[in-house]
Every structure is written in C-alpha cells, then in structure tokens.
Amino acid sequence: MISLSHTKKIDVLWVLLMLITLVNALIAETAEPGLVITLLIATAIGIKGRVVVDHFMELKNAHPLIRISMQVYFYVIPGMMVLVYLFPETIARWTQL
C-alpha cells in the first residue's frame, strides 16, 4: 500500500474537495431539482464536512466531544436540506415570524 506524506495527503484531499465542489456546481446549474439531486448534494456536503473536520481542522485525534460535535453539524445540515425539500410548506410555517 502506498503511504503518502501528511503534506501530500492534504494536497490530494484538497483536490478531491475541489472536484466534489465543481461537480456539485455543475449539477446545480444543469440538473432539474429533485429528491435524488438533493440527496446527492447533501451527501457530498456530509463527505466534505467530514474530510474538513478530520484532516484540515485536525480534529481526528481531538477530544471525542469536540470531534463528534463538529461531525454532527455536518450530518444535521444535509439532513435539514433534505427535510426542507420534502416538507417545504410545513417548515416555512414553522419558521415564519
């Protein structure tokens, strides 16, 4: 198995994050909105968030409470995106002033 240095690994992960971002932008510009597209984008956000937390914020070895709190954020936000797609009127009613 190939072992990458820390710097090389960060470079590869950065390129991966950029590719995911560009693919998401392409999808957002060309695809018709739908549940599958929403799930795809939400999953990409979750993956990107996990990579950022573990490698760029270097929380992989942090106290579990801190690490889990950050990871939960990147699972909650995509989940909320899907819920807004599925129940837009209900969520609009709940959030209006």
Side-chain angles (χ1 to χ4, degrees):
M1 182 172 183
I2 298 173
S3 177
L4 298 174
S5 70
H6 180 70
T7 304
K8 191 64 102 174
K9 185 176 183 179
I10 293 296
D11 290 344
V12 169
L13 289 171
W14 182 82
V15 169
L16 176 67
L17 291 172
M18 292 303 297
L19 288 173
I20 293 171
T21 301
L22 291 173
V23 168
N24 284 351
L26 178 67
I27 290 169
E29 291 295 322
T30 59
E32 289 295 319
L35 181 58
V36 173
I37 297 300
T38 303
L39 289 171
L40 184 67
I41 298 297
T43 301
I45 289 170
I47 291 169
K48 287 172 55 177
R50 185 78 186 254
V51 169
V52 168
V53 166
D54 287 347
H55 299 285
F56 290 93
M57 294 176 74
E58 297 184 357
L59 294 178
K60 196 169 197 163
N61 299 315
H63 188 278
L65 180 62
I66 295 170
R67 183 170 184 241
I68 290 169
S69 297
M70 289 300 298
Q71 288 177 342
V72 165
Y73 175 83
F74 286 107
Y75 294 129
V76 168
I77 296 300
M80 290 174 67
M81 289 173 52
V82 173
L83 288 174
V84 167
Y85 178 80
L86 293 173
F87 309 105
E89 294 85 14
T90 304
I91 293 174
R93 266 195 323 273
W94 290 349
T95 59
Q96 68 185 358
L97 298 175

